[in-house]
Amino acid sequence: MTEQGRTGCLRLAAVVIAALGCVAGSPHGSAGVEGPSEAGARKVVATVNGEPIYEDQLQPAVEKNLAQFARYGARTDDASLRERVRTRKLNELIDNLLVYQESKKRKIEDIDEKIDQRVKDLEEKHGAGERMERYLRMRRTTMDGLRKSLEANVRVDEYLKEQGVLEPEIPEERIREMYDGDPQSFATIETIRASHILVAVDAKAGGEEKQQARKKAQKLRKQILAGGDFAAIAKEQSDCKTAARGGDLGDIKRGFMPAAFDEVAFSLEKDA
């Protein structure tokens, strides 16, 4: 995949992604994490203005996001879900790299002092000396690697300040004008609070096993409709990690779970 046509004038959402990057992170992926010594051994998944993004930068972000889905009971072996997550995370890496590339065009007079201050901030948080060495080892980096990552963060922050995105000062009148002009764009994503009971069956299971799982699910449903305690039944019978908390999935935004889940969950009446 090659991204040559996108410029430094990015949509706000992409810029905010970069602004919220991890302190020890960089626009290139996990900061300081050394890849294979030979660049040719790394698989390139995108090229942004001649600069590569590697598979070993993308994959950890994909797996982390899939782990979030798993906590809500989603099947992370679903090929379509994995592909959607992969596409979204790759776009985020591309956007972040575009912002970083644009930020490098600016000269920052006191950049070394700003990096020093960020190192001091980390030392105050995690401890200096041996504690800082432990912090660096946990992140598989060195002080030089950390400083390079912090330099990238400083450059991005300064660029975002220049663009009025980072900590912008917006007059109340301008905020009202923007809202009145397009109130729909400020609407929040529909969210529900849901609980579930998962009856698991292997995708390769035979018809008899699947039928037994269906019968179990129908039996549990009858118990609940007859007045059974949903949470108690979930704790005893659900095959999901959420069983310990009574099947509670927490607050779920539309589009976070697979489409089939959303279709059913968002059509239910409260307490149904």
Side-chain angles (χ1 to χ4, degrees):
M1 178 185 297
T2 302
E3 289 285 334
Q4 299 288 353
R6 300 165 80 173
T7 69
C9 297
L10 301 174
R11 61 187 183 278
L12 178 60
V15 175
V16 171
I17 288 172
L20 298 179
C22 186
V23 169
S26 79
H28 298 273
S30 297
V33 177
E34 300 296 335
S37 57
E38 298 181 9
R42 306 175 73 185
K43 179 181 178 182
V44 176
V45 293
T47 302
V48 184
N49 297 322
E51 197 165 351
I53 293 175
Y54 296 104
E55 177 69 28
D56 58 21
Q57 295 170 326
L58 171 62
Q59 193 58 31
V62 172
E63 295 302 329
K64 182 178 180 179
N65 199 187
L66 287 173
Q68 293 174 325
F69 278 99
R71 286 199 293 270
Y72 288 99
R75 294 190 56 165
T76 55
D77 59 349
D78 184 302
S80 62
L81 172 60
R82 181 171 287 272
E83 184 59 30
R84 290 199 305 274
V85 170
R86 182 180 175 84
T87 298
R88 182 167 65 249
K89 291 303 173 182
L90 178 56
N91 284 336
E92 288 180 10
L93 286 176
I94 291 170
D95 287 338
N96 290 353
L97 184 49
L98 280 167
V99 174
Y100 176 61
Q101 289 174 343
E102 189 67 21
S103 74
K104 289 196 296 184
K105 299 176 183 178
R106 274 72 176 168
K107 183 177 181 180
I108 305 174
E109 297 292 344
D110 56 348
I111 189 167
D112 288 335
E113 289 80 358
K114 291 181 181 296
I115 295 172
D116 289 341
Q117 183 58 54
R118 297 203 179 195
V119 171
K120 289 180 181 178
D121 291 342
L122 284 174
E123 288 177 337
E124 289 180 4
K125 180 177 180 180
H126 301 285
E130 179 56 33
R131 290 186 178 182
M132 176 53 64
E133 291 296 327
R134 189 182 306 119
Y135 171 85
L136 295 173
R137 287 196 298 271
M138 288 176 61
R139 284 152 184 79
R140 294 184 294 163
T141 190
T142 63
M143 180 56 73
D144 285 343
L146 176 63
R147 290 186 67 87
K148 287 180 181 178
S149 297
L150 293 175
E151 178 185 349
N153 288 350
V154 169
R155 291 188 180 280
V156 168
D157 285 352
E158 292 300 310
Y159 170 71
L160 296 179
K161 288 179 183 178
E162 179 185 311
Q163 300 301 311
V165 175
L166 192 63
E167 301 177 0
E169 295 184 7
I170 305 175
E172 178 67 27
E173 297 78 12
R174 178 56 178 158
I175 296 174
R176 171 55 61 183
E177 179 183 336
M178 292 175 65
Y179 177 81
D180 291 342
D182 186 14
Q184 187 59 39
S185 66
F186 293 90
T188 57
I189 299 175
E190 186 178 3
T191 302
I192 62 169
R193 183 71 178 264
S195 297
H196 80 155
I197 296 174
L198 174 67
V199 179
V201 60
D202 195 291
K204 298 179 181 179
E208 179 62 26
E209 290 181 70
K210 292 181 179 179
Q211 184 61 28
Q212 290 300 319
R214 179 180 291 275
K215 287 181 178 180
K216 178 182 176 180
Q218 292 173 336
K219 178 181 178 181
L220 296 177
R221 182 173 184 274
K222 288 181 180 179
Q223 291 178 12
I224 293 167
L225 292 177
D229 186 311
F230 187 100
I233 294 174
K235 288 181 179 179
E236 293 179 1
Q237 301 293 337
S238 181
D239 296 321
C240 180
K241 295 178 181 178
T242 60
R245 55 178 185 268
D248 184 14
L249 292 168
D251 294 323
I252 305 170
K253 292 181 179 180
R254 183 183 288 276
F256 182 78
M257 297 292 276
F261 181 96
D262 280 1
E263 183 178 353
V264 174
F266 283 89
S267 66
L268 293 174
E269 297 293 331
K270 184 179 179 180
D271 297 324

